Amino acid sequence: MAAERLSVGWVSLILFLSSVSGNRQRAEKLTIVKDPTVGYPWPLPQYFVPSSNVLSVDAGSFEFVAATVSCDILQAAFSRYRFLTFPSLGSETRWETPDNTLRFKPHRGPQVGGSVLNSLSVELSENCDGMIYPSMDSDESYELSINDQGAKLTAKSIWGALRGLETFSQLVWEDDFQVYRVNKSMTRDFPRFSHRGTLIDTSRHYVSVRKIKEHLDAMAQNKMNVFHWHIVDDQAFPYESYTYPSLSQKAAYTPDHVYTQEDVREIIEYARIRGIRTVPEYDSPGHTESWGLGQSDLLTTCYSGGQPDGSYGPVDPSVNTTYTFLQNFFKEIADVFPDKYMHMGGDEVSFQCWQSNPKITDFMKLKKFGTDYSKLEEYYMQNLLDIISSLQKGYIIWQEVIDNGVTVSWTTLIPQPVRI
């Protein structure tokens, strides 16, 4: 079943790629069931000991039971994993949802003898009530046992329970007689990396909300936990800002290629109940050509032969209005995106336009920067990161910012290649 559910809508870039849960050498006594993609978990858990003993699973009357505490995320997961675990029952199957149990219409498959599994008990040691979000520190560990006494999933947090439910759905398989089976097994798992994410760039290529959701489903099925949303760039500004609505009105590809505030909330919530963080990226002072279409005084005017040549360069760091804009805009972003971190970019800044502008040249002299325009970039980034810190947010930046000497918080994240 797992192999049938690994298709991804599309991804423009995979960032911080991880094999998630260890490597093959950590597993013990592996017994391949049927073939490597049926009845076998992905990614390979830290500890996985299957058995050749097989139980039948009564899909029709199967119950997901919240044995200790319950919450909206867990109940949503029970509904979701009913279809992922037993896909042949079809979406037309109806179910009842009491406080802690999910039941389904009887499955009309053949009768089976021997030991039958008819429930999965989920035990959480932490309450998950309220609007909680996954974070860098989320505990995603879990233990899943399947034997003659039943199936039990234990986890400290709801985030670990989600990963365990995914594993359970992968372990259950359907035989040639349309009977669901599962091998007795013991699984103990926790992630090798706390950040396991993919990046989608929706500026250079608009991606529909439906496709983003499909991508989030695929991430959950691979136990990935960070959706890095590179939402705007030079090419387009599809994010609808309620503080500066002209940004998307003038810089989106078309009025139909815009993520409304409702769209953004919907995507963040869709990710949340799958244990996925949504981290937005708003790169500056470069990569901002589209910003200037909606905010005409934001970018630097480029000069040629002592006169404006009609083109624009990076954000103008020399005027106070720039920092007023940044303060107001990122206060909005901090309110809209609940994650602790925002990606602030800072890479690939061309100095040519700054060098051509006489006002920038005068500002450089005033600040005693000489002709070192990396100091001007440092000045801009320092002001920007101070604004982000004042909003009680952490930030992710590219290596150039550090290379240019910007003073950053000890919680700063800098993407680096990971060797698996």
Side-chain angles (χ1 to χ4, degrees):
M1 296 302 167
E4 298 171 2
R5 302 197 281 110
L6 294 181
S7 61
V8 178
W10 77 268
V11 189
S12 60
L13 173 66
I14 291 186
L15 185 66
F16 307 127
L17 182 61
S18 161
S19 60
V20 188
S21 299
N23 53 58
R24 291 185 176 276
Q25 294 176 349
R26 292 184 181 179
E28 300 177 17
K29 303 179 182 177
L30 294 181
T31 301
I32 303 299
V33 179
K34 200 171 185 182
D35 68 58
T37 62
V38 176
Y40 200 76
W42 172 266
L44 188 64
Q46 300 282 356
Y47 177 85
F48 176 56
V49 181
S51 162
S52 58
N53 296 321
V54 178
L55 302 175
S56 297
V57 183
D58 189 347
S61 62
F62 194 87
E63 299 177 2
F64 290 88
V65 180
T68 51
V69 299
S70 186
C71 61
D72 65 327
I73 301 176
L74 187 60
Q75 289 300 319
F78 284 171
S79 296
R80 189 166 65 253
Y81 279 103
R82 169 263 180 280
F83 296 112
L84 294 175
T85 307
F86 310 112
S88 69
L89 294 189
S91 59
E92 73 282 355
T93 303
R94 298 180 181 178
W95 63 89
E96 302 173 359
T97 54
D99 289 340
N100 66 342
T101 302
L102 213 63
R103 292 184 178 180
F104 311 106
K105 287 173 60 177
H107 182 37
R108 296 185 178 181
Q111 297 296 314
V112 295
S115 298
V116 178
L117 187 68
N118 54 26
S119 68
L120 172 65
S121 174
V122 180
E123 298 182 4
L124 299 180
S125 56
E126 285 183 355
N127 201 314
C128 57
D129 281 339
M131 186 60 70
I132 63 172
Y133 290 86
S135 71
M136 181 78 73
D137 301 322
S138 292
D139 187 332
E140 297 180 75
S141 63
Y142 66 90
E143 181 175 299
L144 174 64
S145 63
I146 301 173
N147 53 45
D148 287 324
Q149 284 69 51
K152 183 169 75 170
L153 169 63
T154 59
K156 181 177 181 181
S157 76
I158 182 63
W159 317 118
L162 293 179
R163 307 304 173 226
L165 284 167
E166 177 59 39
T167 294
F168 179 76
S169 74
Q170 295 170 354
L171 293 177
V172 175
W173 48 279
E174 191 174 10
D175 68 15
D176 295 335
F177 301 97
Q178 290 75 55
V179 176
Y180 284 102
R181 308 281 191 181
V182 66
N183 286 61
K184 297 178 185 179
S185 62
M186 170 60 72
T187 305
R188 298 189 189 96
D189 199 15
F190 58 88
R192 182 180 173 192
F193 300 108
S194 60
H195 186 130
R196 309 178 307 282
T198 63
L199 181 153
I200 292 182
D201 184 335
T202 57
S203 169
R204 296 176 176 91
H205 187 110
Y206 181 86
V207 183
S208 69
V209 172
R210 180 176 64 85
K211 283 297 181 183
I212 290 176
K213 287 181 176 180
E214 289 178 5
H215 180 80
L216 292 169
D217 283 334
M219 288 181 63
Q221 291 161 14
N222 286 274
K223 302 187 178 79
M224 304 187 86
N225 68 350
V226 181
F227 169 38
H228 182 146
W229 193 355
H230 189 116
I231 191 167
V232 302
D233 209 287
D234 282 327
Q235 289 74 13
F237 200 106
Y239 168 78
E240 179 192 61
S241 168
Y242 58 77
T243 308
Y244 297 99
S246 61
L247 289 168
S248 61
Q249 290 169 359
K250 296 182 178 180
Y253 287 120
T254 74
D256 294 328
H257 294 88
V258 171
Y259 300 104
T260 66
Q261 289 289 319
E262 182 180 353
D263 291 336
V264 173
R265 285 193 296 270
E266 188 176 334
I267 289 169
I268 292 172
E269 176 62 11
Y270 198 87
R272 179 185 80 94
I273 64 173
R274 287 158 178 77
I276 298 172
R277 300 163 52 204
T278 302
V279 176
E281 180 175 351
Y282 291 86
D283 198 349
S284 73
H287 295 271
T288 50
E289 183 177 340
S290 67
W291 302 42
L293 297 177
Q295 198 70 15
S296 59
D297 61 346
L298 185 63
L299 303 186
T300 303
T301 301
C302 303
Y303 280 67
S304 179
Q307 298 295 324
D309 64 10
S311 64
Y312 295 88
V315 171
D316 186 343
S318 69
V319 292
N320 291 333
T321 53
T322 288
Y323 302 104
T324 300
F325 167 83
L326 294 174
Q327 178 71 47
N328 295 337
F329 180 71
F330 283 110
K331 183 181 185 304
E332 172 188 325
I333 301 306
D335 291 339
V336 169
F337 290 89
D339 198 79
K340 177 182 177 180
Y341 283 93
M342 298 190 292
H343 199 306
M344 308 314 301
D347 67 324
E348 300 176 337
V349 181
S350 172
F351 297 154
Q352 185 176 355
C353 185
W354 282 348
Q355 291 168 335
S356 74
N357 186 296
K359 289 197 310 178
I360 298 291
T361 301
D362 291 342
F363 186 77
M364 293 280 288
K365 292 176 182 177
L366 178 66
K367 291 295 184 180
K368 299 182 167 77
F369 292 161
T371 58
D372 186 355
Y373 284 84
S374 67
K375 291 186 179 297
L376 183 60
E377 182 183 2
E378 175 189 346
Y379 175 83
Y380 170 85
M381 290 302 300
Q382 193 67 68
N383 278 279
L384 173 61
L385 298 186
D386 288 347
I387 288 171
I388 302 305
S389 294
S390 73
L391 298 171
Q392 308 303 309
K393 288 285 189 177
Y395 43 78
I396 305 170
I397 52 177
W398 296 116
Q399 181 66 38
E400 288 97 316
V401 179
I402 299 297
D403 293 342
N404 289 335
V406 175
T407 301
V408 299
S409 164
W410 69 271
T411 61
T412 302
L413 299 181
I414 303 172
Q416 296 291 335
V418 175
R419 178 171 294 177
I420 306 301

